[in-house]
Amino acid sequence: MSCLRTSRYVSTAGLLTTTRAYTSPSSSIQELNRYDNLPSNSRVFSLIQPTGRIHLGNYLGAVKSWRTLSNSNPDSEFLFGIADLHAFTSYKPAAELKDNRYQAIASLLAGGLDTTKCTLYFQSSVPEHSELNWYLTCMTSMGQLNRMTQWKSKAQQSQNSSITDEKVMESTKAGVFCYPALQAADILLYRATHVPVGDDQSQHLELCRNIAKSFNNTYNVNYFPLPKTLLTPAKKILSLKNPEKKMSKSDPVQASCVYVTDSPEDIQLKIRKATTDSIQGAWSFDPVTRPGVSNLINIISGLTNESIEETVASIQHLKDHKSLKDYVAKLIIDEFHDKRQLYDELLKNRDYLDSVCKQGRDKARELASVNIGDIKSIVGMD
Ligand code: TRP
């Protein structure tokens, strides 16, 4: 027991339990429509993949909501970072991966994350992620992983394919298949209570809660809290050209995606070309019959923090589709104006970025090393 550095534990009949009890949450998934009402002493954790420059969807779905959360809840703790180990599941030449990692960190800083309010770091710089990943991978069944849907799209398999299929098995890397166990390790390593993500990550978060429960049950401890999913309101920003699909950097149609780094002229042009409809009269939000217009309304709502209803009411004075587009373009241009300049400056200064990440890494490791010590002691690896 001497290795338990914290006094949070009481031992009952040789079993470890924590005095900070976590009751099962009544609802594990919450819509983030208010940012300032986290319970005190929450620990919020999230990572974003380094896919290079960030676009409007990444900005509204992650960076902006992280910024607002961490600025609005001074009595909670925030850890955010770059999921570079997850990015490693698809091959990139080393120089490109490195550039992407710097671009991602510069995007978070330019997006306004304040390192006095949150810890900002690279996942790969904290080796405890990989260490916990192994313990959790050993506690996760192939069936649980097989039911996840994201690896199927990443491995370019259809949604009803299975790892038991010979061809699928041959063409799927183990890292892609086991990716959600690493994600659970990321979250549980810090004993996070809340995880803000887009709805495409809901399934991984549910798996994470199941892994946490099964760890707690197996070792008869109450060590891991069951982290709640905080669904970001601008859940899904869709492609400007084909509002059936998510906005994505890999879309071959350049005009489908607005980047934080785009010039005002480019933003204006891309929004002008956005697919809408020819319905006249009042503006309405209806993703089925008016996907293009609804996507623009969703973008406005994400930028202004107003609800969809408030947004719809506030645009009724715009008399035609061109006016709506100009209005959206101006909002985006204003929002990104100084972020774009800051991003360019930051990217030129790798030493500065290195120093920010080193600071973040040290802070994250302080927590991670204590927790991995506890975990190893719980499983008998101390
Ligand atoms: N899988 C997430 C995504 O693709 C990124 C991620 C990795 C993450 N680890 C995480 C998100 C932990 C939240 C918490 O977006």
Side-chain angles (χ1 to χ4, degrees):
M1 287 298 160
S2 58
C3 57
L4 284 178
R5 295 166 217 76
T6 62
S7 56
R8 280 170 292 158
Y9 303 93
V10 288
S11 168
T12 44
L15 297 171
L16 291 163
T17 50
T18 169
T19 51
R20 189 173 152 204
Y22 292 103
T23 46
S24 181
S26 49
S27 161
S28 307
I29 304 185
Q30 288 175 358
E31 299 265 337
L32 245 185
N33 36 33
R34 279 196 56 191
Y35 284 88
D36 56 354
N37 60 350
L38 284 178
S40 348
N41 300 320
S42 299
R43 185 176 285 159
V44 181
F45 179 90
S46 196
L47 300 182
I48 187 172
Q49 285 215 37
T51 49
R53 296 181 297 160
I54 65 162
H55 59 61
L56 185 62
N58 308 134
Y59 176 74
L60 292 177
V63 188
K64 186 175 177 223
S65 66
W66 296 359
R67 182 183 76 215
T68 317
L69 272 171
S70 50
N71 286 344
S72 322
N73 296 277
D75 51 5
S76 288
E77 198 177 348
F78 297 86
L79 291 119
F80 298 126
I82 310 297
D84 46 4
L85 295 175
H86 281 103
F88 197 73
T89 55
S90 53
Y91 169 75
K92 288 265 174 329
E96 194 179 322
L97 176 60
K98 195 161 179 163
D99 284 348
N100 283 351
R101 293 170 68 238
Y102 277 112
Q103 288 176 10
I105 208 83
S107 302
L108 294 185
L109 289 169
L113 287 186
D114 176 349
T115 51
T116 64
K117 302 204 171 85
C118 65
T119 299
L120 201 59
Y121 74 107
F122 286 119
Q123 178 193 28
S124 63
S125 70
V126 176
E128 287 81 3
H129 284 258
S130 305
E131 202 173 352
L132 181 56
N133 174 41
W134 179 247
Y135 297 125
L136 299 186
T137 300
C138 291
M139 303 186 68
T140 307
S141 75
M142 298 284 279
Q144 284 176 300
L145 294 169
N146 197 30
R147 284 190 286 280
M148 298 292 113
T149 54
Q150 197 177 47
W151 70 266
K152 294 170 191 170
S153 36
K154 289 208 179 217
Q156 268 125 40
Q157 304 295 340
S158 75
Q159 281 309 318
N160 53 14
S161 58
S162 163
I163 200 69
T164 54
D165 180 299
E166 195 74 34
K167 271 210 205 110
V168 174
M169 181 148 54
E170 280 307 321
S171 60
T172 303
K173 297 280 195 288
V176 169
F177 190 64
C178 298
Y179 172 124
L182 175 60
Q183 183 163 347
D186 300 336
I187 298 164
L188 299 179
L189 180 60
Y190 300 97
R191 307 174 80 200
T193 57
H194 294 81
V195 184
V197 283
D199 60 356
D200 63 329
Q201 295 299 311
S202 292
Q203 205 190 21
H204 289 165
L205 273 261
E206 198 177 326
L207 176 66
C208 173
R209 284 188 287 274
N210 287 333
I211 294 175
K213 271 186 228 162
S214 122
F215 180 97
N216 288 345
N217 285 340
T218 306
Y219 292 99
N220 202 5
V221 290
N222 198 359
Y223 187 74
F224 291 128
L226 305 183
K228 290 193 181 203
T229 305
L230 294 179
L231 281 186
T232 45
K235 274 178 238 147
K236 219 186 246 175
I237 301 298
L238 302 171
S239 152
L240 295 171
K241 290 305 284 176
N242 178 2
E244 309 281 302
K245 298 193 302 188
K246 220 174 134 166
M247 182 174 281
S248 160
K249 191 189 160 210
S250 49
D251 199 313
V253 185
Q254 270 311 301
S256 67
C257 186
V258 174
Y259 295 97
V260 175
T261 50
D262 279 342
S263 68
E265 299 73 40
D266 283 348
I267 295 174
Q268 183 89 36
L269 209 68
K270 286 179 181 181
I271 299 293
R272 283 233 171 114
K273 287 192 196 157
T275 303
T276 49
D277 53 41
S278 49
I279 300 175
Q280 300 298 315
W283 298 112
S284 53
F285 182 82
D286 184 341
V288 178
T289 56
R290 308 192 74 177
V293 165
S294 301
N295 193 30
L296 295 182
I297 292 175
N298 203 14
I299 291 173
I300 301 173
S301 143
L303 289 168
T304 60
N305 297 332
E306 287 185 338
S307 68
I308 295 291
E309 295 71 35
E310 287 165 339
T311 305
V312 172
S314 75
I315 57 171
Q316 294 303 335
H317 67 284
L318 299 169
K319 56 185 188 317
D320 53 22
H321 288 72
K322 179 174 175 301
S323 319
L324 176 67
K325 287 179 174 180
D326 286 347
Y327 179 71
V328 176
K330 176 155 181 354
L331 279 180
I332 302 175
I333 292 167
D334 288 350
E335 179 85 14
F336 287 174
H337 175 69
D338 29 330
K339 298 184 175 58
R340 173 174 170 236
Q341 284 176 353
L342 185 56
Y343 174 86
D344 289 340
E345 279 166 34
L346 284 166
L347 209 53
K348 281 187 227 137
N349 196 344
R350 287 200 173 186
D351 288 345
Y352 174 74
L353 295 177
D354 285 338
S355 74
V356 169
C357 294
K358 187 170 168 305
Q359 233 177 42
R361 176 200 68 190
D362 290 347
K363 274 209 300 198
R365 269 202 101 175
E366 243 172 66
L367 274 176
S369 60
V370 170
N371 291 351
I372 202 78
D374 292 344
I375 293 162
K376 287 172 77 168
S377 161
I378 290 170
V379 305
M381 234 9 131
D382 52 333

